[in-house]
């Protein structure tokens, strides 16, 4: 059991292999946060700094003493009381009052992990993998119960948190804010790392020192978004990849989120993450409950690298589900950048033939196969095949593709509707809209209102009908606009602000039904590239299209930034044509291949346009990746050189048993009279020898890590990769 409880003093300690998280009940009332960091024995609480007077801050008294809530490090602070810092929860009671004072009531501890009904979350396969602590808090004046859930993993340095609020009163309560986690720190000596971006430039890393006031990130777009990812880290000023403290926060949620840190007057800091309170409220009638999504918190004393590897392992093994969690992912070719909407059945079959000849295993037909869609102006929602374009239908096309020796995959964008569609003509109120206002379109489309069960049922039926009538092995589930003019025709006026979260619950319900009934299909999520790259989507779909920007140089930034929280096995990464369609840059086929091989490898171009020489290179890449994927998709990733800090990027992957290594070094621009560049490996066995596969050379781990290998790259946009195999212990 990794949870230790001092029942007398009500001290709660969660332990993971290298970390401890400690709380205690103060004055028989408040749940105080005491510590989160490197493993410690239960501390002497006399040493805990829980109470101090501060000018202009109210003092709360009870029979056990006084407390200054504005000073106390709290586990779940509430609004409108006497803690003026950012609250985790805000409510409005039936009488209009907003003060909620949560007092400790009881706890429950058990082996295994809590479940969150209707929401994605990390899981355990055996209850010995984790332990759960539930602490019940209550606002006794209004009989509102708040259950704080904490789970400690026994083999990973992961603490997860979630919150359930139960209205035990006989009156209505309106929730206006429910964070999933809030953590107080005694200092502000940290940097804040976030992953901002936009379309085609997702998850670029920004790092700034904390300052007084609030530093926050959020999405108000109805999706986790490319503009900001629901992840942040607080790290020491000197923390780098290998050294220093790093606290990671990630929300298992795909909708509006808010996260941030507030530095207060005493230079303490409060971090939080949860559903955005912007355009959110939730009515709890008598007996109703509300569950907030899961926050995944990782502490590392060994730098950002170890933090990321913990996230990677957790997500790879205990977030992603289904057979592709453990199986290698197929190498695919997607026709999107090769043909866009301009394809015929013959063209797709030709691509399949070419794919087979190159060793590619799966051909994906992207947008444009349904309704009368020949551009992005129409037909979303009309999920029936365009037989003018594809005379054999999807069933016949899949057969023809399969006959070439490759599997068949298909694109959908089920959450959307085109105003020019049969679906919209039949149900103009099924989209998100505000009566009497213009329905502003993005890419000529509107968002279906997934807060309505009948809309969800339509989507499940329409998608499953296609999946069940053809041999489809893969689905790309796209989503290409954010919500606007928010409103639902299915909800009463007083519940309109529930719509964005109800949409997410509807989406998760749809995904559970579609994915759950098609266990052999590999699902990849997409949102104009990586616009919904979050743990919520990964729970249903093991991989995400990382970005529509397929330029190899841009991908260095995007994949490097994404790897802060998300594993290689989650990142779709394809070789595309040059000049690149997004940046117009021409990079070598070798570099494009090398960058893409650090993710789930594939091609996104017209395979028929390759020269014979290029085909040879592609065959080599495909063969290489078939070997690499046996370990790279599950390997530990080490970031060695950051594209955000210079012209060169390097990273490497070490197999779980330490026997196989794959490393890449990427140079953007060539320098005249360059200095000496060396690839210095890490995490090798210094005593062992390693063969450089294909180069007939051997080096000791010691040499590879400390002296390194000289990197000779001439010309712009170059790369060099190494495959190492541990062969023996040196004497
Ligand atoms: C956006 C995606 O990111 C692209 O890969 C492609 O599927 C298009 N949508 C199709 O409309």
């Amino acid at each position: 059991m990794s949870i230790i409880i001092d029942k007398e003093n009500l001290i709660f300690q969660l332990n993971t292999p290298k970390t401890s998280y400690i709380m205690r009940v103060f004055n028989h009332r408040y749940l105080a946060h005491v510590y989160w960091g490197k493993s410690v024995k239960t501390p002497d609480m006399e040493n805990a700094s829980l109470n101090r007077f501060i000018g202009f801050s109210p003092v709360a008294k009870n029979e056990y003493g006084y407390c200054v809530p504005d000073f106390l490090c709290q586990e779940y602070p509430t609004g409108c009381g006497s803690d003026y810092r950012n609250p985790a929860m805000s409510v409005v009671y039936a009488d209009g009052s907003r003060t909620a004072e949560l007092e400790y009531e009881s706890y429950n501890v058990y082996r295994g992990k809590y479940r969150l009904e209707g929401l994605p979350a990390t899981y355990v396969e055996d209850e010995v993998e984790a332990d759960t602590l539930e602490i019940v808090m209550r606002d006794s004046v209004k009989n509102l119960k708040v259950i704080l859930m904490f789970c400690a993993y026994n083999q990973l340095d992961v603490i997860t948190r979630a919150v359930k609020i139960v209205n035990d009163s006989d009156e209505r309560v309106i929730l206006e804010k429910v964070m999933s986690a809030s953590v107080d720190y005694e200092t502000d000596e940290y940097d804040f790392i976030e992953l901002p971006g936009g379309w085609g430039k997702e998850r670029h890393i920004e790092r700034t020192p904390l300052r007084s006031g609030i530093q926050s990130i959020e999405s108000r777009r109805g999706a986790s978004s490319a503009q900001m990812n629901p992840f942040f880290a607080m790290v020491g000023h000197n923390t780098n990849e290998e050294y220093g403290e790093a606290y990671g926060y990630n929300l298992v949620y795909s909708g509006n989120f808010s996260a941030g840190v507030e530095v207060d007057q005493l230079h303490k800091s409060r971090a939080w993450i949860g559903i955005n309170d912007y355009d959110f409220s939730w009515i709890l009638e008598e007996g109703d409950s509300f569950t907030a999504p899961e926050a995944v918190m990782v502490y590392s004393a060994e730098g950002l690298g170890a933090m990321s590897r913990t996230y990677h392992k957790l997500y790879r093994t205990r977030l992603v589900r289904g057979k592709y969690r453990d199986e290698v992912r197929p190498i695919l070719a997607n026709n999107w950048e090769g043909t866009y909407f301009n394809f015929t059945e013959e063209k797709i079959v030709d691509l399949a033939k070419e794919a087979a000849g190159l060793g590619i295993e799966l051909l994906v037909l992207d947008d444009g196969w349904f309704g009368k869609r020949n551009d992005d102006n129409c037909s979303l929602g009309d999920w029936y095949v365009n037989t003018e374009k594809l005379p054999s239908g999807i069933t016949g096309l899949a057969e023809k593709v399969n006959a070439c020796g490759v599997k068949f995959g298909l694109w959908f964008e089920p959450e959307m509707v085109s105003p020019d569609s049969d679906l919209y003509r039949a149900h103009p109120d099924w989209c998100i809209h505000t009566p009497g206002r213009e329905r502003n379109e993005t890419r000529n489309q509107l968002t279906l209102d997934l807060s309505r069960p009948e809309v969800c049922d339509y989507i499940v039926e329409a998608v499953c009908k296609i999946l069940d009538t053809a041999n489809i092995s893969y689905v790309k589930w796209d989503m290409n606009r954010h919500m606007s003019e928010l409103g639902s025709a299915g909800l009463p006026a007083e519940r309109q602000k529930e719509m964005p979260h109800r949409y997410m619950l509807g989406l998760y319900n749809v995904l559970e039904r579609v994915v759950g009934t098609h266990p052999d299909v590999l699902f990849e999520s997409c949102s104009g590239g990586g616009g919904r790259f979050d743990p919520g989507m990964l729970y249903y779909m093991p991989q995400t299209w990382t970005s529509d920007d397929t330029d190899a140089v841009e991908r260095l930034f995007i994949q490097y930034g994404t790897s802060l929280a998300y594993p290689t096995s989650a990142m779709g990464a394809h070789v595309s044509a040059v000049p690149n369609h997004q940046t117009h840059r021409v990079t070598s086929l070798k570099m494009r291949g090398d960058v893409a091989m650090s993710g789930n490898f594939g091609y996104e171009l017209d395979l028929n346009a390759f020269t014979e020489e290029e085909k040879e290179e592609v065959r080599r890449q495909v063969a290489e990746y078939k070997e690499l994927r046996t370990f790279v998709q599950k390997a530990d990733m080490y970031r060695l050189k950051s594209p955000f800090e210079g012209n060169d990027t390097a990273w490497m992957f070490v197999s779980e048993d330490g026997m196989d290594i794959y490393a890449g070094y990427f140079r953007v621009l060539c320098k005249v009279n360059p200095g000496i560049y060396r690839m210095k490996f890490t995490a090798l066995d210094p005593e062992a020898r390693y063969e450089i596969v294909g180069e007939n050379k051997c080096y000791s781990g010691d040499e590879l890590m400390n002296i390194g290998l000289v990197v000779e790259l001439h010309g712009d946009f170059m790369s060099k990769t190494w495959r190492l195999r541990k062969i023996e212990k040196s004497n």
Side-chain angles (χ1 to χ4, degrees):
M1 173 64 74
S2 56
I3 297 175
I4 301 168
I5 295 170
D6 174 341
K7 290 183 187 161
E8 201 180 323
N9 297 304
L10 291 174
I11 301 169
F12 303 98
Q13 173 156 358
L14 291 90
N15 290 325
T16 69
K18 291 184 183 170
T19 76
S20 298
Y21 189 100
I22 305 173
M23 299 164 270
R24 80 166 291 193
V25 176
F26 182 59
N27 282 357
H28 291 254
R29 184 172 179 183
Y30 300 97
L31 185 62
H33 177 79
V34 175
Y35 174 80
W36 181 27
K38 267 189 192 177
S39 296
V40 291
K41 293 184 201 70
T42 305
D44 176 357
M45 283 299 150
E46 293 304 313
N47 188 30
S49 172
L50 296 177
N51 222 358
R52 189 191 296 169
F53 290 107
I54 343 177
F56 283 87
S57 288
V59 179
K61 293 183 191 125
N62 69 2
E63 59 198 284
Y64 300 97
Y66 79 93
C67 173
V68 179
D70 202 24
F71 177 81
L72 188 68
C73 285
Q74 306 218 38
E75 276 302 327
Y76 205 65
T78 53
C80 292
S82 38
D83 178 348
Y84 296 105
R85 295 164 293 176
N86 197 43
M89 184 186 91
S90 302
V91 299
V92 182
Y93 291 114
D95 60 3
S97 66
R98 283 102 50 228
T99 307
E101 289 172 328
L102 295 182
E103 297 187 2
Y104 169 80
E105 183 175 281
S106 62
Y107 74 87
N108 181 23
V109 66
Y110 51 88
R111 302 225 82 162
K113 185 164 187 289
Y114 57 77
R115 284 171 191 272
L116 304 177
E117 177 110 33
L119 284 167
T122 57
Y123 58 89
V124 291
E125 288 205 324
D126 188 312
E127 60 176 27
V128 299
E129 292 175 13
D131 296 301
T132 294
L133 169 68
E134 292 183 357
I135 297 186
V136 178
M137 309 286 292
R138 188 178 296 274
D139 180 2
S140 52
V141 174
K142 295 291 185 182
N143 224 354
L144 187 73
K145 179 159 86 174
V146 175
I147 305 166
L148 303 178
M149 292 171 253
F150 301 83
C151 172
Y153 273 83
N154 289 321
Q155 299 297 325
L156 289 167
D157 289 310
V158 174
I159 306 273
T160 66
R161 288 183 64 171
V163 177
K164 183 172 179 182
I165 300 185
V166 186
N167 181 3
D168 277 343
S169 78
D170 51 11
E171 286 182 325
R172 168 182 281 197
V173 178
I174 301 173
L175 305 177
E176 293 202 320
K177 179 177 187 179
V178 185
M179 285 297 116
S180 297
S182 176
V183 179
D184 281 351
Y185 297 76
E186 287 185 348
T187 83
D188 63 353
E189 289 163 16
Y190 299 106
D191 288 350
F192 186 82
I193 296 182
E194 60 194 282
L195 297 176
W199 175 79
K201 49 175 185 179
E202 298 90 336
R203 292 169 296 287
H204 281 216
I205 298 176
E206 282 185 19
R207 177 171 178 165
T208 41
L210 288 184
R211 53 185 157 70
S212 294
I214 287 180
Q215 188 153 335
S216 69
I217 56 173
E218 61 184 316
S219 168
R220 297 181 215 101
R221 297 168 168 269
S224 50
S225 90
Q227 285 69 16
M228 199 56 88
N229 194 266
F231 167 84
F232 74 95
M234 278 170 75
V235 302
H237 296 312
N238 296 321
T239 294
N240 62 18
E241 283 296 320
E242 291 176 52
Y243 305 103
E245 292 198 299
Y247 294 89
Y249 292 81
N250 200 190
L251 192 65
V252 188
Y253 192 61
S254 315
N256 292 339
F257 71 90
S258 144
V261 180
E262 178 175 13
V263 174
D264 72 8
Q265 54 183 329
L266 303 175
H267 295 278
K268 295 162 95 173
S269 24
R270 169 170 292 170
W272 66 86
I273 192 162
I275 294 179
N276 202 336
D277 55 331
Y278 165 81
D279 200 42
F280 168 85
S281 77
W282 200 273
I283 295 175
L284 288 187
E285 301 292 2
E286 175 186 349
D288 283 356
S289 65
F290 178 86
T291 303
E294 174 165 282
V296 179
M297 302 171 10
V298 172
Y299 170 78
S300 152
E302 290 140 29
L304 280 164
M307 177 204 73
S308 297
R309 286 186 289 280
T310 300
Y311 273 114
H312 295 176
K313 187 152 194 199
L314 177 73
Y315 290 171
R316 229 169 40 224
T317 60
R318 293 295 180 264
L319 174 69
V320 161
R321 301 173 300 166
K323 79 171 195 178
Y324 280 103
R325 181 188 76 178
D326 303 319
E327 277 185 20
V328 292
R329 312 285 168 77
I331 300 176
L332 67 84
N334 179 305
N335 75 309
W336 178 242
E337 286 196 20
T339 68
Y340 294 105
F341 292 101
N342 189 19
F343 59 83
T344 58
E345 183 172 298
E346 205 187 347
K347 176 70 189 172
I348 299 302
V349 175
D350 278 352
L351 288 174
K353 279 186 202 144
E354 195 65 69
L358 295 168
I360 294 168
E361 299 154 309
L362 166 73
L363 185 83
V364 180
L365 174 57
D366 210 280
D367 195 353
W369 57 268
F370 50 93
K372 55 184 177 67
R373 189 157 165 102
N374 288 315
D375 53 38
D376 62 19
N377 278 307
C378 68
S379 299
L380 291 172
D382 297 345
W383 299 109
Y384 38 82
V385 64
N386 178 344
T387 43
E388 269 176 40
K389 236 171 165 175
L390 304 172
S392 311
I394 289 295
T395 314
L397 178 61
E399 279 167 9
K400 288 184 179 184
V401 168
N402 291 163
C404 300
V406 289
K407 292 179 173 173
F408 179 70
L410 196 61
W411 178 97
F412 290 88
E413 194 179 357
E415 298 159 68
M416 296 291 147
V417 63
S418 308
D420 181 5
S421 67
D422 294 342
L423 180 68
Y424 189 75
R425 282 181 282 275
H427 300 284
D429 64 330
W430 272 17
C431 65
I432 290 173
H433 66 282
T434 301
R437 296 195 185 273
E438 194 171 333
R439 300 175 180 195
N440 288 321
E441 295 167 16
T442 303
R443 212 190 184 213
N444 312 305
Q445 63 196 57
L446 298 165
T447 310
L448 283 173
D449 179 1
L450 272 70
S451 72
R452 299 179 65 168
E454 61 274 38
V455 176
C456 294
D457 291 345
Y458 171 82
I459 293 175
V460 172
E461 209 177 296
V463 174
C464 290
K465 196 165 162 197
I466 300 282
L467 295 185
D468 295 338
T469 50
N471 189 20
I472 295 170
S473 307
Y474 162 104
V475 165
K476 180 175 174 185
W477 185 290
D478 206 348
M479 193 284 276
N480 285 308
R481 68 155 292 169
H482 291 148
M483 296 175 187
S484 65
E485 296 80 48
L486 298 188
S488 168
L491 291 171
E494 59 191 9
R495 288 192 183 267
Q496 286 294 320
K497 281 182 158 191
E498 296 180 9
M499 194 280 288
H501 181 57
R502 284 188 184 273
Y503 179 100
M504 297 318 306
L505 297 178
L507 173 64
Y508 293 146
N509 173 278
V510 165
L511 296 180
E512 191 67 52
R513 286 153 76 193
V514 174
V515 173
T517 50
H518 297 88
D520 292 327
V521 176
L522 171 61
F523 286 84
E524 176 157 348
S525 81
C526 173
S527 175
R532 211 164 48 181
F533 204 130
D534 60 61
M537 293 308 288
L538 287 174
Y539 179 74
Y540 301 97
M541 307 192 175
Q543 57 193 60
T544 303
W545 179 225
T546 312
S547 178
D548 273 350
D549 192 341
T550 50
D551 173 77
V553 175
E554 294 291 297
R555 276 300 187 112
L556 291 175
F557 293 85
I558 295 166
Q559 292 175 203
Y560 191 99
T562 303
S563 78
L564 236 49
Y566 307 104
T568 306
S569 58
M571 292 188 224
H574 300 169
V575 173
S576 62
V578 287
N580 179 269
H581 293 196
Q582 290 76 35
T583 60
H584 306 277
R585 186 181 283 133
V586 177
T587 52
S588 63
L589 182 54
K590 161 118 176 64
M591 183 185 189
R592 280 176 277 154
D594 287 345
V595 174
M597 278 191 230
S598 308
N600 285 319
F601 188 63
Y603 292 84
E604 179 106 6
L605 38 64
D606 185 354
L607 299 172
N608 301 125
F610 278 136
T611 63
E612 281 311 314
E613 200 185 331
E614 286 170 332
K615 281 185 195 167
E616 266 319 297
E617 170 67 359
V618 170
R619 275 190 206 98
R620 190 202 59 73
Q621 289 178 344
V622 167
E624 184 183 358
Y625 188 71
K626 282 180 182 167
E627 286 183 15
L628 291 178
R629 70 180 168 185
T630 58
F631 68 92
V632 166
Q633 290 174 353
K634 293 181 186 165
D636 277 335
M637 182 188 190
Y638 292 83
R639 293 177 294 258
L640 304 174
K641 268 182 178 292
S642 167
F644 297 96
E645 289 167 13
N647 195 32
D648 294 359
T649 302
W651 52 48
M652 62 180 276
F653 302 89
V654 182
S655 67
E656 283 175 315
D657 62 4
M659 295 301 291
D660 289 283
I661 289 94
Y662 175 63
Y665 194 104
F666 310 90
R667 159 92 31 89
V668 177
L669 294 179
C670 176
K671 301 257 169 59
V672 179
N673 268 338
I676 294 175
Y677 294 89
R678 281 184 186 273
M679 174 71 173
K680 290 192 183 175
F681 294 80
T682 190
L684 303 182
D685 175 352
E687 304 298 323
R689 290 189 69 75
Y690 292 83
E691 175 199 352
I692 312 280
V693 177
E695 293 189 17
N696 204 16
K697 287 179 190 153
C698 281
Y699 299 92
S700 72
D702 201 9
E703 179 173 350
L704 289 165
M705 290 193 289
N706 296 307
I707 300 175
L709 299 179
V710 174
V711 183
E712 292 281 2
L713 293 173
H714 302 288
D716 294 343
F717 316 128
M718 289 292 155
S719 59
K720 164 82 184 150
T721 60
W722 298 264
R723 164 101 192 269
L724 271 56
R725 177 123 187 110
K726 186 173 173 181
I727 44 173
E728 63 185 52
K729 287 259 179 204
S730 49
N731 298 321

